[in-house]
Amino acid sequence: MSVLASLRLSRAPAAAFVVLGLHWGAFAAYVPQIKSKIGASDALFGTLLLGSAIGLMSAMWLAPRVDRWLGARGLALATAMFSATFLLLALASGPVSFALAMVAVGCASGLADVVMNARVSELEAQHRRSLMNVNHAMFSVAYAIIAISCGVAREWDVSAFSMFAAIGLVVLWLTTLMTQAPAAQPDHDVGRAASGYPLGPIVLCGVVVLIAFMAEAAVETWSALYIERSLLGGAAEGALGPAMLGATMAVGRFAGQALTDMIKETSLLVLAAVLAAGGLVVAALAGQPAVAYAGFGIFGLGVSVIAPMGLALVGQLVSPARRTQAISRVAVIGFSGFFLAPVAMGVISEVLGLRVAFLAVALMLSPVPVLAVLLARRHRTSREAV
């Protein structure tokens, strides 16, 4: 199935992925400005980002029930709420208000993430096609485009609030494309769901997604600051760091959509982890922005497919009645990486510098091949059982 056909098939969740990409890409580009505005050190700023983890965890545990309650409008409402919370973030004037805003962002982000990934998994099961990579690619495309745009906007002294408000207007239009009701559960799967909780697949896939999102978040949040402070780049040059990441992640995910038809998902995980780690080493040892861009680009190509594959695999390894719940649990484990990584990066940067922090992230990717082998065994067992 072509990329365009896959996007038409999954139009509703793809639009939601675009919304999240626009906001997180803008945030990454505006990190230096926001950090300066609230007057936070590296360690304090990283710690303040934990505020979103509080909201994230709460929302993701409740997401399956909220999803069923909201029905076909759930995806649109979740993404609209997510967009609105970024206005609070832009208005923050100090550490406390920033932390509270991050709690709201985390809550809305958790709900939107679970709902849109569940919709993709449902469509994959319904049409027996891999769709996770192409949807995550739309996040990366939006992320790259808005990061570059925000870098230019910062050069022209456009405020974060103005940019987030403008993105909000685009979101209002995108929500019109997001009508998709949760899939109905077959009667035989209801009984199957009650027979046991799929803890094994959730833990394995959750750790894969956790590692991927920790690595992504570290580069997204700190790459602009690294280029501007450690490599003496300007605002536009700094924004090119997260923009390069977003662009190459989009390429990697579109390629991953095709590669899943040719090689096993677990084999792709191993190759991706090695490539991502190598890219971070290049970026960490860079002496000028151009070399850092190359490193972040290589990293983006590799890390791009790790999280989508983890989410896709858990959807394949559990019954349809458990799918949304399993994805929400994997999301609780995995998406916490978006908030744990910036904290760790802040602490390491404060003590040893950003170069060492990026090398630590490269090392963090090393367990992924081992987890891929364990998932391959479980996947074979699951297919033999069927």
Side-chain angles (χ1 to χ4, degrees), residues 13-366:
F17 275 96
V18 169
V19 171
L20 268 69
L22 289 174
H23 283 288
W24 285 122
F27 176 73
Y30 272 94
V31 158
Q33 184 185 102
I34 294 172
K35 181 175 176 293
S36 177
K37 180 182 176 182
I38 65 174
S41 66
D42 287 1
L44 177 59
F45 185 71
T47 303
L48 292 174
L49 294 175
L50 270 179
S52 55
I54 299 172
L56 180 86
M57 296 298 183
S58 301
M60 285 185 168
W61 283 109
L62 295 173
R65 292 183 180 180
V66 175
D67 185 24
R68 290 192 296 271
W69 178 58
L70 293 177
R73 297 180 181 179
L75 197 57
L77 291 173
T79 51
M81 182 173 67
F82 170 77
S83 180
T85 59
F86 271 77
L87 296 177
L88 299 175
L89 196 63
L91 290 171
S93 58
V96 175
S97 57
F98 178 79
L100 292 174
M102 287 304 294
V103 172
V105 169
C107 183
S109 178
L111 177 60
D113 273 315
V114 169
V115 173
M116 67 191 192
N117 279 291
R119 294 292 185 278
V120 175
S121 187
E122 289 163 2
L123 289 169
E124 286 184 324
Q126 180 181 349
H127 298 282
R128 299 182 181 276
R129 301 295 305 180
S130 175
L131 299 170
M132 197 66 77
N133 269 307
V134 74
N135 277 268
H136 281 256
M138 295 309 296
F139 172 96
S140 301
V141 169
Y143 184 98
I145 292 172
I146 201 66
I148 294 173
S149 302
C150 288
V152 175
R154 281 185 57 207
E155 293 281 2
W156 287 89
D157 294 325
V158 176
S159 69
F161 181 85
S162 298
M163 180 56 67
F164 292 148
I167 294 172
L169 296 177
V170 176
V171 171
L172 289 178
W173 171 71
L174 287 173
T175 56
T176 64
L177 307 176
M178 297 182 194
T179 302
Q180 181 185 331
Q185 296 180 5
D187 292 338
H188 66 275
D189 281 323
V190 173
R192 183 180 174 185
S195 63
Y197 191 77
L199 184 61
I202 288 174
V203 171
L204 289 175
C205 293
V207 175
V208 168
V209 177
L210 171 66
I211 292 172
F213 282 157
M214 284 187 73
E216 280 185 44
V219 177
E220 287 176 0
T221 306
W222 293 95
S223 57
L225 194 64
Y226 172 63
I227 291 170
E228 292 180 30
R229 189 174 68 188
S230 300
L231 303 180
L232 305 179
E237 289 177 299
L240 276 177
M244 177 62 73
L245 174 65
T248 53
M249 285 182 66
V251 172
R253 283 167 173 170
F254 283 130
Q257 180 69 28
L259 287 172
T260 51
D261 292 331
M262 295 182 284
I263 63 176
K264 294 184 296 184
E265 289 98 332
T266 49
S267 299
L268 189 58
L269 280 176
V270 175
L271 295 173
V274 173
L275 189 62
L280 276 181
V281 172
V282 172
L285 301 179
Q288 55 184 333
V291 178
Y293 298 149
F296 290 142
I298 295 169
F299 165 77
L301 288 173
V303 80
S304 62
V305 300
I306 298 177
M309 287 296 92
L311 290 164
L313 282 168
V314 77
Q316 297 169 20
L317 292 170
V318 302
S319 67
R322 286 288 196 189
R323 188 174 294 120
T324 300
Q325 185 183 44
I327 287 176
S328 72
R329 300 304 183 253
V330 168
V332 168
I333 299 170
F335 283 97
S336 62
F338 270 119
F339 311 104
L340 295 175
V343 177
M345 286 288 288
V347 173
I348 297 174
S349 174
E350 191 84 10
V351 178
L352 300 172
L354 277 171
R355 292 183 187 276
V356 176
F358 281 125
L359 289 174
V361 176
L363 182 62
M364 183 184 66
L365 288 160
S366 58

